[in-house]
Structure formats: structure tokens, C-alpha cells
Amino acid sequence: MGIAWTAAFAAGCAFSLGLSAVAAAGPPPPGVTTGFAVPATFVSGCFSLLMCTVPPVVAVTPSAATQAPGVVTFTAQQSGAIVTPDCLDVVVNWRNLSTPVAGTAVLRGVTPVDFSRPTAPEEWCRYTPVAVVTGSGMVAASADASADLDRFQLAITPGFGTFAVP
């Protein structure tokens, strides 16, 4: 019984030390961009008669880039099978899990108005990046399309992501 207990104790210590070594690995260096694990999806339409009849499911994938210690730049892009010119603002609510700091960033959707040339689908909707001071530590964020009174929209899933900030 003494050998089995000693082996179990040693295995438990090795497991604990292994976890603390992984947890102490530290945040990534500045300049790393992390896409949210779950994109924000919503049904939206009414920018044309066809889309009001059959509104598409739109997916927007926010991302966070750490450019400097304690600073995160949020941005987003439409993703998935359907890319539309329906460009709704995206609200990102974030919280630093290491400190009590929290906040909200609004990513404004911008639709190009240059009609002098054909616009590629990936250029239909662009989001203005927003830099926020989160402080260093682990940050969790959720994203959703903001309420736009001019258009029909229905949230399906909010986006969600976690990332380390140096």
C-alpha cells in the first residue's frame, strides 16, 4: 500500500507541476491577432427587395490584435458562405479576467460607396478597427450585431473569444 500511495502522490505532483508550467507560459508577444472562436451570426435584410423577402444568415468573425502591451485592437470581417452588402455595426463587450477592467467597443460597419468600379464581395462590408486599453492579462470578449432601427435583424449566436494580452 505504501508504494501505491507514493506513486499516486508523485503522479499528482507531476500533474500539478505540469499544469503550473503550462499556465506560466505567458502571453503571446505583441503583434499577434486572434480570431474569436465563435463568430457572431444573425439574420439581416431589407437592403433590397430580394433580401427582405429571403433574409440571409450573416456571420461576422471579430478578431483581437495585441499591438502594444495592455492594448487590443478589435476588428471584424464577414465570413462564411454568404457575404452580403448588409453591413451592421458589431458591439464587442470585453472583460479582463485578471483585473476588474471591462468595456465596450463598437465596430462601425462601412459599406464602400465607390460605384466607379465593380466591388468584390470581400469589400462589401468593412469594419473600422477600434483600439482599447484592456491592461495585461487574459481577456474574454463577446460580440453581437447592434440594434439598427432601419433594418430587420435577429441575433442567432453572439461571437465569443478569449485571448492573452501582454
Side-chain angles (χ1 to χ4, degrees):
M1 178 154 156
I3 294 175
W5 184 87
T6 304
F9 179 77
C13 288
F15 181 74
S16 299
L17 291 174
L19 286 181
S20 64
V22 170
V32 174
T33 299
T34 305
F36 282 27
V38 178
T41 56
F42 52 92
V43 175
S44 177
C46 294
F47 62 85
S48 73
L49 182 60
L50 176 63
M51 288 305 192
C52 277
T53 307
V54 183
V57 174
V58 179
V60 174
T61 303
S63 61
T66 54
Q67 304 300 332
V71 178
V72 173
T73 300
F74 290 108
T75 190
Q77 68 180 19
Q78 285 190 8
S79 57
I82 298 175
V83 177
T84 71
D86 196 12
C87 199
L88 297 176
D89 294 345
V90 173
V91 176
V92 177
N93 294 301
W94 57 270
R95 175 173 297 281
N96 187 326
L97 301 176
S98 305
T99 66
V101 179
T104 300
V106 178
L107 306 175
R108 300 282 179 207
V110 179
T111 304
V113 292
D114 180 11
F115 298 112
S116 65
R117 63 175 179 83
T119 305
E122 59 271 7
E123 295 177 2
W124 284 349
C125 181
R126 294 188 180 244
Y127 288 92
T128 305
V130 175
V132 296
V133 178
T134 61
S136 297
M138 187 59 95
V139 175
S142 65
D144 203 354
S146 67
D148 188 338
L149 301 177
D150 295 336
R151 302 181 213 175
F152 164 77
Q153 64 188 22
L154 177 65
I156 297 175
T157 60
F160 181 77
T162 59
F163 44 93
V165 179

